[in-house]
Amino acid sequence: MSSSSLLSPDTLHPYQPPKWAKETLANPPKHGRLHLANLPTPLYQIKPLSKSATNNNNNNNNNNNNNNNNNNNNNNNNNNNTATGILARLAEWNIKLYVKRDDATGGTELGGNKVRKLEFLLADALASECDSVVTIGGEQSNHCRATAAASRMVGLSPHLILRTRRADAIHDKKDDIGWVGNILFDRMVGSTIYTCTPGEYGRLGSQKLVEDVCNHIESNNDNDSNPYPIPVGGSNALGTWGYINAVDELMQQIETIQEEEKDFALDHVVFATGSGGTATGISVGLSLAYASLNQKNDELGKQQHPPPRVHAIGVCDNPDYFYNSMSSIADNMGLANLPTPDTTTEQFVRTAVTVHHGKGRGYAISTDDELDFILQFAMETGIVLDPVYSGKALYYFLKKVVGDGGEE
């Protein structure tokens, strides 16, 4: 392999939006994208396994019951609910489950949905001749971890604002941010870490906090002088193109499957949402892609394919917050030329996706039932769901939407 064929993370690549996006989204990325993620990510069908996985997990649950007398009744109820296994119940409901493995976008430091957004955001930062990046998230933010690592890969200094109840104690030197979980990765790549309390986050807002740190860097930092702000979750119009691109990837995978299975179709698409960017890209993208596909099929006299119902499971805030956030992002992407001229952006978004109130006890707080579900799913499939996002999303969808036949 010649040196000219080797990939460099900081190389800017031209980006050509899919045709169905160019027709409706007027503000495509100006500076292309980086190639940081391992794409395309695979689309797997999850098939029922042998009964041993279910039996092993039921035995584990029974052992837990014996060791915890206070929760015997609750755990016995949970065992009754999961005695046949998650995949067995899906088979009874005639549901085929497919998983788009976006946890496989990168290694431990980059894996997950955020790197798709960062390919566009950091391309813009480099084109703008920035020397550093500022972003914000929770104390164990996946987004901050991925942003810090990706920034270092392309030669930018990462500055992270982490929301934690320990912020005052850390500021007063009575506590330390530590080396646990994602913070370990943040510190390993040399991030400059700032902290804020949940109260400050709620009172000032994430955008103001990022702006304040950017101003601080411009005025007081000896090494960095031109920071690039990235919003919480990378969720703005530019970052959302990462999931417009993901929808195009998914449509190509569906087309490949349909070459062998003529009747293959997705009826539902389910994912978690915490800041709205991924949700906007998937829901708007699928709506536009299927509209374009069906228009083409109509012209060719081919069978129409109804778009899947899209479910965004909110892990924080409330559905109206996400509808408003997603509508704002879509507006900033230049959403126009909608099929119905009098349709507002929010009306279009509300038609494209149903946002569910799925945070349960609260953001990053899991119930025993949710954790039991994640354990059962891992035992049956080998896939470990994230208790903050993907675990809550699939749990809520199967229990409240499929199992109960509707919302709570």
Side-chain angles (χ1 to χ4, degrees):
M1 180 182 292
S2 66
S3 60
S4 61
S5 65
L6 295 174
L7 291 176
S8 176
D10 62 353
T11 300
L12 296 177
H13 300 268
Y15 175 66
Q16 186 71 17
K19 182 179 179 181
W20 48 261
K22 287 194 294 184
E23 295 169 349
T24 312
L25 299 175
N27 298 330
K30 296 179 180 179
H31 302 301
R33 60 182 283 205
L34 304 175
H35 286 175
L36 301 175
N38 298 323
L39 302 176
T41 56
L43 179 65
Y44 290 150
Q45 181 180 359
I46 307 300
K47 297 182 179 180
L49 304 178
S50 65
K51 293 183 178 180
S52 61
T54 301
N55 291 336
N56 285 339
N57 197 52
N58 285 336
N59 289 335
N60 288 338
N61 283 339
N62 286 329
N63 289 336
N64 289 337
N65 289 344
N66 292 333
N67 292 332
N68 192 341
N69 292 328
N70 290 333
N71 290 325
N72 270 345
N73 292 333
N74 289 335
N75 284 336
N76 285 331
N77 288 336
N78 290 341
N79 287 336
N80 291 333
N81 290 336
T82 61
T84 58
I86 296 169
L87 300 186
R89 279 183 286 138
L90 291 181
E92 290 177 1
W93 294 333
N94 197 29
I95 293 175
K96 292 182 179 180
L97 179 65
Y98 294 81
V99 177
K100 178 76 167 150
R101 295 301 303 266
D102 262 25
D103 56 325
T105 53
T108 305
E109 70 280 6
L110 287 182
N113 67 323
K114 304 305 181 184
V115 68
R116 288 188 184 268
K117 303 177 185 180
L118 290 168
E119 288 194 331
F120 292 90
L121 293 165
L122 294 182
D124 191 50
L126 292 174
S128 303
E129 298 184 347
C130 293
D131 55 19
S132 52
V133 166
V134 179
T135 196
I136 188 168
E139 183 173 352
Q140 290 291 340
S141 168
N142 295 326
H143 162 68
C144 286
R145 178 209 69 217
T147 300
S151 297
R152 281 297 185 203
M153 288 180 182
V154 301
L156 302 176
S157 301
H159 294 255
L160 310 178
I161 309 168
L162 302 183
R163 182 183 66 249
T164 171
R165 290 182 172 85
R166 300 186 295 125
D168 289 337
I170 292 170
H171 182 268
D172 295 336
K173 309 296 184 184
K174 296 177 181 178
D175 199 353
D176 182 78
I177 192 66
W179 296 87
V180 176
N182 282 333
I183 293 174
L184 172 63
F185 293 98
D186 298 339
R187 299 184 73 171
M188 284 179 68
V189 298
S191 302
T192 301
I193 296 178
Y194 312 78
T195 60
C196 69
T197 65
E200 291 170 326
Y201 186 93
R203 185 172 65 254
L204 299 174
S206 61
Q207 182 176 343
K208 177 66 164 58
L209 290 166
V210 169
E211 290 175 354
D212 287 349
V213 170
C214 285
N215 292 335
H216 169 77
I217 292 171
E218 291 171 353
S219 303
N220 302 294
N221 197 293
D222 294 333
N223 298 317
D224 304 322
S225 60
N226 189 19
Y228 184 85
I230 293 179
V232 61
S235 293
N236 61 10
L238 182 58
T240 297
W241 278 95
Y243 269 85
I244 294 295
N245 194 53
V247 167
D248 191 45
E249 181 180 299
L250 177 61
M251 296 297 291
Q252 293 178 42
Q253 290 173 318
I254 292 173
E255 184 178 357
T256 299
I257 295 173
Q258 288 173 340
E259 291 176 359
E260 297 183 1
E261 301 179 36
K262 300 296 184 183
D263 296 330
F264 174 81
L266 293 179
D267 299 312
H268 299 269
V269 173
V270 183
F271 51 87
T273 184
S275 55
T278 297
T280 306
I282 293 176
S283 58
V284 171
L286 284 172
S287 181
L288 298 179
Y290 271 88
S292 177
L293 173 65
N294 285 325
Q295 181 180 3
K296 180 180 178 181
N297 286 343
D298 186 52
E299 293 170 355
L300 297 175
K302 292 185 176 181
Q303 179 183 355
Q304 299 283 305
H305 294 281
R309 291 185 59 190
V310 180
H311 304 265
I313 312 301
V315 299
C316 57
D317 297 298
N318 58 65
D320 284 340
Y321 166 84
F322 287 110
Y323 286 126
N324 292 334
S325 175
M326 293 166 65
S327 299
S328 177
I329 292 172
D331 276 335
N332 290 330
M333 296 179 78
L335 183 66
N337 301 321
L338 295 175
T340 305
D342 295 334
T343 301
T344 67
T345 301
E346 184 167 337
Q347 288 172 335
F348 175 81
V349 168
R350 285 179 178 267
T351 301
V353 61
T354 299
V355 180
H356 301 269
H357 199 296
K359 67 180 180 181
R361 290 176 55 195
Y363 178 75
I365 302 174
S366 299
T367 66
D368 289 343
D369 205 21
E370 290 167 346
L371 294 175
D372 286 343
F373 173 87
I374 291 170
L375 177 61
Q376 177 86 11
F377 191 79
M379 187 70 71
E380 294 187 35
T381 67
I383 298 174
V384 179
L385 301 175
D386 172 12
V388 180
Y389 295 101
S390 58
K392 277 197 174 185
L394 187 58
Y395 169 84
Y396 182 91
F397 178 74
L398 294 181
K399 184 174 180 64
K400 299 297 183 182
V401 180
V402 177
D404 291 352
E407 291 284 341
E408 290 178 298

